[in-house]
Amino acid sequence: MTSFLTHRAHVHDARLPLRRRHSALRTCITVFAPYGFRATYHHLTLSAAIPRRLEGDPDALVRAVEELHEARVLWLARAEEYAVHRRAEKRAGRRSVPNPRPWWLRRTWESPERVWYQDPLRHPSLRLSEYVRRQNAILDGAEPSGCPACGDEGPRVLNSTGHGWNELCRGCAWTLAPCPCGQRHPYQSEIPLSWNGIWRRAHMNNDGKPNPHWLAG
C-alpha cells in the first residue's frame, strides 16, 4: 500500500502548493477511512483544526494525516494477523468467512455505522487510533461499556423507520438495535447537508476553530 505513504509524504512536503498537499490528504483518506470518507474528513477538520483558509495553518494538514497514519498502522497490524489466521483456516478446510465480519470488512449497508455514510456529522469524536483500538478489542472478544463505537453510555435515541423504530447511540448514531423488520432504512439528517460546504470547511473559521454560526445547509 505505497500509495498512502507516498501521498502522506506529499502532505508533509512544504515545497508543494497547499492545494496539492490538501489533495494528497484526500487521497490518503480514500485509502483508509475508519468513519467512511466524508465522516473521516469531517472528523479530521475538527481534530486537526484545519482552518477554512489553509494558509492560516499549513501544519494542520500534517496533524490530520499523522492522526490518520497512526490509526492505519494499528489497522494494518491487526489486518495482517487476521490474514495469517484466515490462511491457516483455509488450509484446514474452513473457508467460510466468520460472522460477524472484522470491522474493516463489514458491508456498508449492513454495518451499524451506516449512518455515518449518510450523515458525515454523526461520527464518533474519538481520535481515530482510539476507535481502531476499540474495534480491535471487540474483535478479540472484549465487551467495552457503552456504545461499541464511541463509548457513550447515555440513553438511546429512537429513530423512526416509517413503520417501526431503531435505536441509535446518542453520541454517534451507531445502530444499537435495528428495526424489527430486519431491513435497512435510510437515515434522515436533522439538518440539510452540503458536502461541498463540508469539503470547503465552511464549518470552520480561519483560526481553525469550529464556526458557531454554520448551518450544514
Side-chain angles (χ1 to χ4, degrees):
M1 295 186 180
T2 58
S3 177
F4 183 97
L5 297 179
T6 298
H7 286 88
R8 174 186 173 226
H10 290 164
V11 176
H12 278 265
D13 192 345
R15 298 169 299 177
L16 295 176
L18 281 174
R19 293 296 180 270
R20 184 174 175 187
R21 294 170 66 187
H22 181 252
S23 178
L25 172 63
R26 175 180 182 172
T27 300
C28 288
I29 300 174
T30 63
V31 174
F32 179 66
Y35 297 158
F37 177 81
R38 298 195 302 167
T40 297
Y41 177 78
H42 180 262
H43 165 80
L44 290 173
T45 63
L46 297 174
S47 64
I50 303 177
R52 182 181 302 182
R53 294 183 66 255
L54 297 176
E55 295 80 3
D57 186 4
D59 289 341
L61 297 177
V62 175
R63 293 193 297 270
V65 80
E66 285 307 297
E67 178 178 346
L68 192 64
H69 173 64
E70 179 186 11
R72 181 174 175 269
V73 168
L74 295 173
W75 164 68
L76 282 175
R78 189 64 181 86
E80 178 58 27
E81 291 177 7
Y82 176 78
V84 170
H85 179 68
R86 285 292 296 140
R87 286 194 291 268
E89 286 188 327
K90 289 179 181 179
R91 286 194 296 269
R94 298 188 297 273
R95 305 190 66 84
S96 60
V97 179
N99 190 31
R101 295 169 177 264
W103 60 271
W104 62 87
L105 293 179
R106 286 193 293 252
R107 300 184 182 91
T108 301
W109 67 268
E110 67 182 5
S111 64
E113 71 266 24
R114 58 181 174 271
V115 168
W116 307 344
Y117 296 87
Q118 299 167 349
D119 184 347
L121 309 185
R122 296 301 308 272
H123 55 78
S125 59
L126 294 177
R127 188 173 177 86
L128 295 178
S129 59
E130 292 305 313
Y131 173 77
V132 171
R133 287 191 182 96
R134 190 175 182 88
Q135 296 308 300
N136 287 346
I138 293 173
L139 183 60
D140 291 332
E143 297 182 0
S145 61
C147 169
C150 70
D152 186 279
E153 298 183 2
R156 300 180 176 190
V157 175
L158 293 178
N159 177 62
S160 175
T161 62
H163 58 268
W165 302 86
N166 54 16
E167 299 179 10
L168 306 179
C169 169
R170 178 187 60 175
C172 70
W174 175 281
T175 302
L176 298 169
C179 181
C181 75
Q183 301 296 316
R184 57 177 291 202
H185 298 283
Y187 174 81
Q188 297 296 327
S189 175
E190 297 178 356
I191 53 179
L193 293 173
S194 169
W195 166 238
N196 187 55
I198 296 173
W199 175 247
R200 295 175 180 273
R201 298 170 305 286
H203 57 288
M204 304 296 289
N205 286 327
N206 290 331
D207 59 1
K209 295 180 180 179
N211 178 4
H213 306 295
W214 176 74
L215 294 177

